[in-house]
Amino acid sequence: MAIDVNALWCVVPAAGRGARFGGEIPKQYLPLAGRPLILHTLERLAAHPRVTGLVVVLAAQDRWWPQVGEINGKPVRTAVGGSERGDSVLAGLRALPDEIDETQFVLVHDAARPCLRYEDLGRLIAEGARSGGALLAAPLRDTLKRANGFNRSIETEAREARWRAFTPQMFRRGELMAALEAASARGVIVTDEAMAMELVGHKPMLIEGAEDNIKVTTPADLKLAEFLLEKTT
Ligand code: C5P
């Protein structure tokens, strides 16, 4: 089977409110090593020669987007997101250029993950094309506890075969749109693209990636991301 990853676009959902972070400025625009966090994320994606262009999905009332039209010579489009992450990703997929037909692969990557490694992105692209759909992830290494409503540990869950899902995730445009639309029609809120794909019967390939591909969620993560940005490529 021909692996068509010649025109590989990446949808970058950035329409979240970052409620867990707090503060007025959404976390994706906070300064990281002197520049808005999201620019680091976009640069890491655009640095890969297989990535052709980017669609950044913004909140309707976004006032902070730095209005970049291209990065590393690659076009940057924008779309307006929705109330859930899945709605935002769907909006981004609809905003892809017409020449990206439904059989072509697309990447989806959180704006809030600026420390993506070049090598992991390359492996995801290769393995995603080979397997028909894949995501970066890491096997769970800690013991997993179930808490009651008072933070008392009431049960220990098996950690075998449990993985933490990261982004980027890579799927065919048409299959991913159909899966996200199906989840939305069923009223299921999906927390990543792979979840939508699983719900309609796909089995995305888990590609082990570096655990320092963190999602900046709290103020402490910003400091860590700054450190990691300097140490990784
Ligand atoms: O909220 P969480 O950290 O899981 O969000 C992951 C990514 O999805 C972030 O980059 C966030 O901006 C984006 N998002 C979105 N639209 C939403 C919710 C989250 O684009 N409605």
Side-chain angles (χ1 to χ4, degrees), residues 44 115-122 210 212-213 231-233:
R44 291 243 166 164
C115 304
L116 171 64
R117 289 174 184 244
Y118 182 91
E119 195 264 326
D120 280 354
L121 177 55
D212 51 25
N213 179 13
K231 302 280 176 228
T232 64
T233 52

Side-chain angles (χ1 to χ4, degrees), residues 12-20 27-28 57-58 81-89 109-113 191 215-217:
V12 182
R17 288 171 296 110
R20 287 168 290 183
K27 62 184 180 183
Q28 59 270 31
V57 189
L58 306 172
S83 56
E84 299 297 340
R85 179 204 159 87
D87 305 319
S88 297
V89 172
H109 183 57
D110 291 333
R113 291 186 193 270
T191 49
K215 180 163 72 174
V216 173
T217 309

Side-chain angles (χ1 to χ4, degrees), residues 63-91:
R63 302 189 273 120
W64 291 275
W65 167 243
Q67 306 287 344
V68 287
E70 64 165 53
I71 289 193
N72 199 20
K74 316 222 170 142
V76 179
R77 295 184 170 204
T78 58
V80 176
S83 56
E84 299 297 340
R85 179 204 159 87
D87 305 319
S88 297
V89 172
L90 256 180

